[in-house]
Amino acid sequence: MAGYSAQFVKTLERQADIPKEKQLNGPASLQSLKDRAEKGGLQILFAEYRVQYLEHLETKGFDGVCDFLQECITSLVQRRLQKAEEKEGLEEVEPTAAAAIP
Amino acid sequence: MSSPTLEQSLGGNPSFGSNPEEEDLSVEEQDLKIALLLDRISQNAGVKGRKPDVVRNIEELGERCSKFGLLPDALETALDVVLSKKLDDTTAKKLVKLLLPRAHVPEDCAIKIMGCLGRYSRGVEAVLLRWLIIVYDYLDGRTKFVKLYGVAFHYLSYETLRLDIQTSVGRELPLTGLLHVYKSYFPDLILMPLPLSNRAIFKCPNQALASKIMDIRAQWKTSSALALSVEANLTGSKKPLVKIGSAKRQKLAHSTIPDAFTLYRKGQDTKNMPLAQITSLSSLVKHIDTLALPDQLSSILSNRLLQHVFCLQPSSSLISRIGYWLGQELVDLWFWGEKTAASRERFGNVLQKIVEVTVLIKDLFPVVETFLMPFLRMWNGREHQKEIFTLLSYLRPRSFEELYAFFLKPLQRIFYNSGSTWKGALLLCYRRLLQRWAQINWRGHLSPDRGYVISPKDYKSMQGLFTKLSLNVDYMKTMQEFIMHVDRMATVAFEEDENNVAVQHGVLSFLDLASSLPIKFRVPMAVIIPDSTIVYRCFLADSGMAMSRICGIILQFKNAFESFETEQQNYQALLLEYEHNQQEQVQRDQSGSGESSNSLPPLPPPPPNNVPGYSRDYVTFFNSFVMDICNFLWRSRAFNKTDKNARGFQVDS
């Protein structure tokens, strides 16, 4: 899983055009990401990174670990509920939008 | 044939084998000498003063026959001599014992014997009939012979057939066995109950003679010309029965799964529609009630239409009929037959056919289960692995003791000595087995007040096509112990092949199912959590697949625990409400006119179908998995032991 994490960091750095000397060399942790952000590297907090990484893992098919954390970690449970509410709101809006099209 | 040569040959050499020149003779020359001897016996039989010659010639014939046997022509000649009534009983019986076929036995021999019944002394007839039973498998055809079936019954007296007399004077096992076969075909023909016996019903009437014939045939089996001639004779027969080699070997060389056709009709009922005339599903539906099943039900293995009919109209007699054939075929091929490439291929083909039928009807023939028990004890784990695993996954639920003794134990022995791929395959087989058991509606049929065994009123509705569940088995206990058994095996497998993907996949697939039993399959049993070694090894494995899947499994276990608690809480709430209502009712009755209500009091809520088994320590131990994983994945506190319930994967610091 550390390998997937390193790949994900590289992807984020590529997207943000981080020069090679400012890229993270080593595992992504609270301290290492904070250190890189201070030195002009990838501007992301560890708390935000791990959420994004989890979503990335979900797209890769690691359902077990994603479901587990989303049901056991309180902050993720709330986040999931919030997302579900947003989705429901969007679904309610959609019919109106479709009706507007002649 | 030249007479002088014959005289010289026979007269001067009464003792075969003592003359070295005799031993050097070719087979053809020996056959010629046998023919000459028979010719001489035939000429001298019944002639006054020639009996010593006949006896001497028979002795010499015996010496030659015991080594070379008799060709079909010689066999017929010898039988003709016996049936000519020119020999006395003792000599005739001696000659019958020399009827040792080297190749096939002409069907005419059998017909001649049947045709001469009643014309000879009982002793000679008995010896001839016994010989016929022994050589039955070697007949070159049976099309004419089977038509003489009634002749045998003609000679059976009515008293012999009456079972009520048999009960007073003792049973005749062969007759009971025969009536069993009749009853299997037409249950309404034999109405009286037939006692079953575990003893061999149709014993070989003369084991020594049978062995001698088998030895001779085995010795001369390599004669390819002979084999070809037999093969040629078999063409056109209803079902090829004989080939060169032993009786068991004969069955190996050709396909013995018969075609589905109906020869006989029951009584005069011409409304019955033979299966062969059913060409479409609609015609099957139309004639389903008047369908005449084929004479040889074993054709079910290769006839999909018949399989459908069987699913729609199963009966114990049909199952017995298929069982007789299938059991014999499997035992012949695996235990008794010689293990050759051809026999293995045939065994594989039969297994494949059984698998096809089993998958369609979703139940295992009882006879196959019985066969698998001794088979697994001798199995090397490699041959026909796929078929065996498929069949094992259809085993019916039973007590764990029985399951372990007959199936799990022999498989466990192979498991520990096999590679990781085999281990993974067995674990997947166990998963399928557990899934089939889980799909039974246990929750609807178990009675908690009787200790989680099937209630008698639900007994019938829970029967499969063949599956007969016992009323006195705690199936939940079986499933729990089965899961624990696999858990122990998985622990050992991880010790040997820790990071092997096949083993990981097998173990995780099984656990995935086991964790989903209480919620997805609603099986009323306590959650059996896996051994900590398995959880830790999977979670800390090199593979992301194992890590992710064990997380999912732990989550399912967590949900199962929560579901159990919710059910308990709901029940407690219902119980409280019930008690409260009862109290109110009592108060109303007392404060009213003093007359109690005539209506019956409502029943208390039924208890939830959950079994006890969740001790606080058990749940705490499980919580350590959840806490350790959360600490590891999210909180950046891997291997932390200070948090509540955390054990840090029991890694020593």
Side-chain angles (χ1 to χ4, degrees), chain B residues 316-346:
Chain B
S316 57
S317 71
L318 296 186
I319 296 168
S320 308
R321 282 170 61 187
I322 297 167
Y324 288 145
W325 182 87
L326 200 55
Q328 192 64 41
E329 184 73 2
L330 288 170
V331 168
D332 275 357
L333 286 169
W334 183 258
F335 293 109
W336 295 346
E338 222 175 86
K339 299 281 189 303
T340 60
S343 74
R344 287 193 177 90
E345 191 187 337
R346 258 198 57 66

Side-chain angles (χ1 to χ4, degrees), chain B residues 101 130 153 169 219 272 287 292 317 332 429 457 479 495 576 610 630:
Chain B
R130 283 189 200 118
F153 270 85
V169 298
Q219 192 179 347
N272 283 359
H287 298 286
S317 71
D332 275 357
C429 162
K457 69 181 169 65
M479 287 169 78
E495 281 291 330
L576 277 174
N610 283 303
C630 287

Side-chain angles (χ1 to χ4, degrees), chain B residues 527-568:
Chain B
V527 174
I528 306 290
I529 58 172
D531 190 83
S532 57
T533 319
I534 296 172
V535 178
Y536 297 160
R537 281 184 189 275
C538 285
F539 186 77
L540 301 173
D542 292 345
S543 158
M545 174 274 290
M547 193 277 273
S548 179
R549 286 176 72 182
I550 196 70
C551 286
I553 288 163
I554 295 295
L555 176 65
Q556 292 197 102
F557 278 121
K558 179 175 168 287
N559 292 339
F561 276 116
E562 286 170 357
S563 158
F564 169 74
E565 277 192 22
T566 310
E567 273 196 46
Q568 290 296 320

Side-chain angles (χ1 to χ4, degrees), chain A residues 1 50 62 64-65 67-68 73, chain B residues 544 547-548 551 629 633-634:
Chain A
M1 296 307 287
R50 62 186 181 181
F62 288 94
V65 68
D67 292 345
F68 177 86
I73 304 293
Chain B
M547 193 277 273
S548 179
C551 286
I629 293 174
L633 291 179
W634 197 255

Side-chain angles (χ1 to χ4, degrees), chain B residues 316-378:
Chain B
S316 57
S317 71
L318 296 186
I319 296 168
S320 308
R321 282 170 61 187
I322 297 167
Y324 288 145
W325 182 87
L326 200 55
Q328 192 64 41
E329 184 73 2
L330 288 170
V331 168
D332 275 357
L333 286 169
W334 183 258
F335 293 109
W336 295 346
E338 222 175 86
K339 299 281 189 303
T340 60
S343 74
R344 287 193 177 90
E345 191 187 337
R346 258 198 57 66
F347 182 67
N349 287 341
V350 173
L351 281 182
Q352 185 57 46
K353 295 282 180 195
I354 296 171
V355 166
E356 284 171 18
V357 180
T358 308
V359 169
L360 178 81
I361 60 183
K362 296 189 172 50
D363 210 349
L364 199 58
F365 284 107
V367 71
V368 177
E369 267 195 353
T370 313
F371 167 76
L372 283 174
M373 292 177 187
F375 173 83
L376 290 178
R377 285 202 290 270
M378 297 165 66

Side-chain angles (χ1 to χ4, degrees), chain B residues 6 18 41 73 178 185 200 230 245-246 310 312 338 341 393 453 460 541 545 576 586 589 603:
Chain B
L6 173 68
S18 60
I41 293 168
D73 289 344
L178 185 65
Y185 275 79
V230 174
S246 74
F310 186 66
L312 294 167
E338 222 175 86
S393 69
V453 295
K460 279 195 173 174
M545 174 274 290
L576 277 174
V586 171
D589 290 344
L603 291 170

Side-chain angles (χ1 to χ4, degrees), chain B residues 251-322:
Chain B
K251 290 189 174 182
L252 308 178
H254 52 77
S255 168
T256 53
I257 297 173
D259 295 332
F261 67 87
T262 312
L263 188 65
Y264 304 107
R265 295 218 172 159
K266 191 177 168 186
Q268 296 303 311
D269 191 357
T270 50
K271 286 179 188 170
N272 283 359
M273 172 72 78
L275 190 74
Q277 289 184 25
I278 303 291
T279 50
S280 66
L281 199 62
S282 55
S283 67
L284 171 67
V285 173
K286 193 176 170 188
H287 298 286
I288 187 77
D289 292 326
T290 55
L291 206 58
L293 291 174
D295 300 331
Q296 289 168 305
L297 265 185
S298 46
S299 55
I300 190 176
L301 292 185
S302 51
N303 189 313
R304 185 43 68 106
L305 190 62
L306 188 53
Q307 290 166 13
H308 283 292
V309 175
F310 186 66
C311 283
L312 294 167
Q313 292 186 319
S315 75
S316 57
S317 71
L318 296 186
I319 296 168
S320 308
R321 282 170 61 187
I322 297 167

